[in-house]
Amino acid sequence: MTIQLPQNFNFTSTIFSHGWYDLPPFAANETKKQLHTVISLSKTKHVCVRIRVHHALLTITVENSVRLTITEKERLKNNIRSMLRIDESLDEFYTLCRKEAHLRWIPKKGAGRILRSPTLFEDIVKMIFTTNCSWALTKIQTTNLTKKLGIEAAEHIYSFPAPETIAKKSEQWLRKEISCGYRAPYLLELCKSITNKKIELESLRHSALSSEELYWKLRSIKGVGHYAAGNLLKLLGRYDFLGIDSWVRKRFSVLHGKGRRISDAAIEKYYDRYGTWRGLVCLMEVTSDWHES
DNA sequence: GCGTCCAGGTCTACC
DNA sequence: GGTAGACCTGGACGC
C-alpha cells in the first residue's frame, strides 16, 4: 500500500520527533529510514507493518500473514496517516518560525510533526510510564506490557494490549510483572474505566473541546499530571501547553540560560510569545539536535 | 558489593 | 493555593 505525502513531509524528523519510536510495538531501524509497528484492527486481527518512504510516497508493507479486506486496508492507511500526522497542516506554524532566525530550520527541514500511537489509550499508558523514572525503566515497563499481555502478531513481535486485557490483571500482578510500581493502580483504574465505558478516549482526537477543557479532561485520569497532560495535548494536535520535564529544563538552561537553572515560570514566560504554538516551538527547540542528520 | 542519588512526576495531606 | 513527603524501579556513580 502507498500514501501520497505532502510536499513538506519529513519522515525521519517525524518518527524521531520524540522517544516513542523506541517503545514497543514501535521499532525503528538503524538507518532511520523505516518504522515498524503493530496495529490492531480488531480483537483478533493484529497487523505488523513496515513503513518507509520512497520518493514522495509512503510505502506500507504488511509483514505477517493476515488477509485484509478493502475496508481494513483503508482503516490501516487512515491509522498510519493519523500516527504520522500526514494530514495536519503546519503552514501557520511554519510562517511563525520563518519570522525568527533561530527557528527557520524547522520549516526548512519540514520538522514539527510528532509521532503518535495508533490509539490515544496507548499514548496515555506510555506517557504515564515516562513519569518519575529513567528512560530505561520506561522501556522496561512498555516491553513487559506488550510481551506479557499483547498478542504475538509475528515471531517475537507483540501488539499493544487492549484495556480489557490489562483490566483483568491484579494490581500486584502488574507491579511484579510489568515493573510499573506505584503506577499499577493508575493503569488499572484507566483500563477499568475504559472497559466499563466510564471514559471514552478515542473521540478526544477529534474533540471540539478547547485545549484548556481537554487538558482538564486528561488531568482527570489518575497518574496524568501537568507534564503528562501537556505532552498528551501535543499528540492531540494542541500545542498550548509546554509539558515541562527535566529534559526541557536541562536543554532550556543550556540554550537560554548559559547552563544556569531556570524556573518553570520563566520557561513558560519565554514561550508565551508563540501563542497557541508555544508547546511545539518549545519541543522543537529542546530537540533541535535530534533533527540534525 | 553496598549505599545513595536521580530519572522525560503525581498524588495526598496538611497548612 | 502552595508545599512537603511518599511513592516503585533500575541504572549510574562513588567508595
Side-chain angles (χ1 to χ4, degrees):
Chain A
M1 286 172 276
T2 57
I3 294 173
Q4 184 71 43
L5 292 168
Q7 209 175 10
N8 60 7
F9 184 85
N10 185 327
F11 181 68
T12 307
S13 271
T14 303
I15 62 175
F16 291 93
S17 51
H18 63 135
W20 260 210
Y21 72 88
D22 201 24
L23 299 178
F26 280 126
N29 71 341
E30 284 176 6
T31 61
K32 300 185 174 182
K33 301 290 181 200
Q34 292 182 18
L35 179 71
H36 296 255
T37 194
V38 180
I39 296 176
S40 300
L41 293 176
S42 69
K43 281 180 182 172
T44 54
K45 203 165 259 185
H46 308 279
V47 188
C48 293
V49 288
R50 175 161 51 114
I51 307 164
R52 55 191 163 160
V53 170
H54 185 63
H55 298 301
L57 278 183
L58 192 78
T59 310
I60 305 155
T61 312
V62 175
E63 297 200 305
N64 57 336
S65 52
V66 286
R67 193 170 284 278
L68 301 177
T69 65
I70 293 170
T71 315
E72 286 171 337
K73 281 182 185 173
E74 276 312 302
R75 274 184 55 207
L76 185 64
K77 280 168 80 171
N78 286 336
N79 216 316
I80 290 167
R81 295 187 86 95
S82 162
M83 269 166 44
L84 298 175
R85 325 290 285 269
I86 290 171
D87 300 316
E88 210 168 294
S89 170
L90 292 176
D91 293 347
E92 194 185 318
F93 173 63
Y94 287 164
T95 302
L96 184 149
C97 292
R98 286 189 190 101
K99 289 177 186 164
E100 299 197 24
H102 71 290
L103 300 177
R104 280 184 200 137
W105 66 271
I106 301 169
K108 213 171 174 180
K109 275 263 175 190
R113 289 185 169 83
I114 311 169
L115 177 68
R116 61 183 175 189
S117 304
T119 64
L120 179 57
F121 167 68
E122 187 175 325
D123 280 333
I124 293 175
V125 173
K126 285 175 173 173
M127 200 63 77
I128 291 173
F129 283 176
T130 67
T131 58
N132 195 28
C133 66
S134 61
W135 186 252
L137 183 55
T138 300
K139 278 183 80 171
I140 288 169
Q141 294 171 87
T142 316
T143 304
N144 285 339
L145 194 69
T146 49
K147 223 170 179 176
K148 296 183 180 183
L149 292 178
I151 304 293
E152 190 170 21
E155 202 178 352
H156 305 308
I157 300 174
Y158 302 84
S159 67
F160 195 84
E164 296 80 13
T165 311
I166 302 170
K168 285 176 189 159
K169 295 295 177 186
S170 68
E171 185 186 319
Q172 286 66 31
W173 189 92
L174 292 170
R175 280 176 187 265
K176 187 168 176 282
E177 300 295 329
I178 309 301
S179 302
C180 56
Y182 69 89
R183 301 169 196 84
Y186 303 155
L187 176 61
L188 208 50
E189 188 177 316
L190 172 65
C191 293
K192 284 182 177 171
S193 297
I194 296 169
T195 308
N196 299 334
K197 303 195 186 309
K198 283 184 187 165
I199 183 169
E200 206 288 302
L201 294 179
E202 301 312 318
S203 62
L204 296 184
R205 284 203 167 165
H206 312 285
S207 172
L209 292 175
S210 68
S211 299
E212 182 81 18
E213 289 168 323
L214 265 179
Y215 170 84
W216 286 110
K217 187 115 188 155
L218 292 166
R219 285 295 305 268
S220 71
I221 299 167
K222 276 229 179 106
V224 176
H226 184 59
Y227 145 84
N231 282 304
L232 284 166
L233 277 174
K234 289 177 196 162
L235 301 180
L236 292 170
R238 313 291 186 102
Y239 305 104
D240 317 56
F241 290 81
L242 301 188
I244 296 173
D245 56 19
S246 56
W247 172 260
V248 172
R249 289 184 196 105
K250 193 161 66 183
R251 288 291 298 152
F252 188 88
S253 81
V254 171
L255 292 170
H256 299 287
K258 296 177 181 167
R260 283 180 296 114
R261 194 189 175 281
I262 315 277
S263 71
D264 287 4
I267 299 175
E268 296 272 2
K269 199 176 172 192
Y270 176 87
Y271 287 107
D272 265 355
R273 74 184 89 163
Y274 301 110
T276 55
W277 293 103
R278 55 185 175 264
L280 192 53
V281 174
C282 174
L283 177 69
M284 287 295 105
E285 276 211 310
V286 300
T287 61
S288 55
D289 51 339
W290 300 0
H291 299 267
E292 279 167 6
S293 59

